[in-house]
Amino acid sequence: MDRREVAALVAYIGRLDPRIIRTDQREARDQLATWHELLDDVPMTTPHGWDALATARQHIRVSPYPVLPADIARPWESYRRDRMARHTDPTPGADPDDQAAWTAELVGTRLAVATGSAQPAQYRAITSGQLGPDLKARLRENGSCIPPEVRVALAPYRPARAAREAAVDQGQPDALGVRCEWCQAQVGEPCRRRRVAPDGGARGTAPRAPHPGRVDLAAARQAQEVEQVQQTALA
């Protein structure tokens, strides 16, 4: 803001909150100089959402304290940080071999975004839409978004998951699909060796095969689901 804009801002705030009005000419001049020095790099408005007058008005509405230059500068800094956090540098159009031009365009784009002159450039978000018929058919065939040949290639690197998938393919209950009541392993986590320490507490760190109780619980859950499916089919 230049001095005229700062003077307009102070006058606007004084109309809403007379506590900042300075009737002495020297005090008013010092007040204007102070506000201009602290708000020199803060614009009055930007094309994309920033308005110093609206910021001052909001402060007067919600705060019992008079408006200070920091009450305008802090929201402006938050506005800048938010815009830069949402910005992804686009590839400059300058010749990559011209380092000076490349850097200048990159800096110029960032400055335009930070000062509110341009909107942040963001990666294109994934949009919602209908699945293609071929993708639906492949999902029904594979039962997973990971193709069978990929699962086979990944098996050596995730043996627990591979053993779990193999058990399910053979019709066995998925022991990791339920919580273990013995070692307290959550769904999807392997069981742990549980030992009683000298102080009476339970300790367990090394993974192990599912505890028998967990396997029995998974089998009971599987039988219950099969029974529900059969009853639904008969109904």
Side-chain angles (χ1 to χ4, degrees):
M1 281 183 272
D2 56 28
R3 290 182 66 88
R4 290 198 311 166
E5 291 175 324
V6 171
L9 175 63
V10 173
Y12 174 79
I13 296 173
R15 182 168 62 84
L16 299 179
D17 185 1
R19 290 176 296 177
I20 75 160
I21 296 178
R22 300 293 182 264
T23 56
D24 182 79
Q25 185 175 4
R26 181 176 179 181
E27 291 181 355
R29 185 171 57 250
D30 292 342
Q31 180 190 48
L32 180 59
T34 300
W35 279 65
H36 180 250
E37 182 175 355
L38 295 175
L39 301 179
D40 179 47
D41 60 342
V42 178
M44 179 69 81
T45 60
T46 69
H48 303 291
W50 168 258
D51 189 336
L53 299 180
T55 302
R57 182 171 61 251
Q58 178 65 15
H59 177 87
I60 295 171
R61 289 182 55 191
V62 302
S63 175
Y65 302 104
V67 180
L68 298 174
D71 297 320
I72 307 297
R74 278 197 297 266
W76 165 248
E77 294 300 330
S78 298
Y79 173 87
R80 285 167 51 95
R81 285 195 300 270
D82 174 71
R83 293 178 64 80
M84 293 308 298
R86 294 185 287 112
H87 177 66
T88 302
D89 290 323
T91 303
D95 184 356
D97 294 330
D98 188 346
Q99 184 64 43
W102 178 280
T103 303
E105 183 175 344
L106 196 63
V107 171
T109 302
R110 292 183 180 179
L111 183 61
V113 172
T115 56
S117 300
Q119 287 285 53
Q122 298 176 284
Y123 284 123
R124 295 177 60 185
I126 298 177
T127 58
S128 60
Q130 299 294 328
L131 293 177
D134 55 336
L135 180 58
K136 290 183 178 180
R138 286 164 55 192
L139 287 175
R140 286 196 301 267
E141 180 182 355
N142 298 334
S144 171
C145 59
I146 303 178
E149 58 273 13
V150 176
R151 288 203 298 269
V152 172
L154 293 175
Y157 305 99
R158 48 177 194 172
R161 180 62 180 267
R164 182 182 180 185
E165 292 177 349
V168 173
D169 291 341
Q170 296 173 8
Q172 300 177 6
D174 181 11
L176 270 64
V178 296
R179 180 174 177 271
C180 183
E181 300 296 336
W182 173 252
C183 66
Q184 309 302 321
Q186 300 299 317
V187 175
E189 297 181 356
C191 287
R192 302 282 177 174
R193 298 187 185 277
R194 188 177 182 186
R195 299 188 297 271
V196 178
D199 58 1
R203 296 180 180 176
T205 56
R208 52 150 291 164
H211 286 100
R214 191 177 192 181
V215 176
D216 294 341
L217 181 60
R221 177 77 60 84
Q222 183 184 44
Q224 183 180 7
E225 292 176 352
V226 171
E227 183 179 358
Q228 291 177 351
V229 171
Q230 292 176 347
Q231 290 178 354
T232 302
L234 292 176

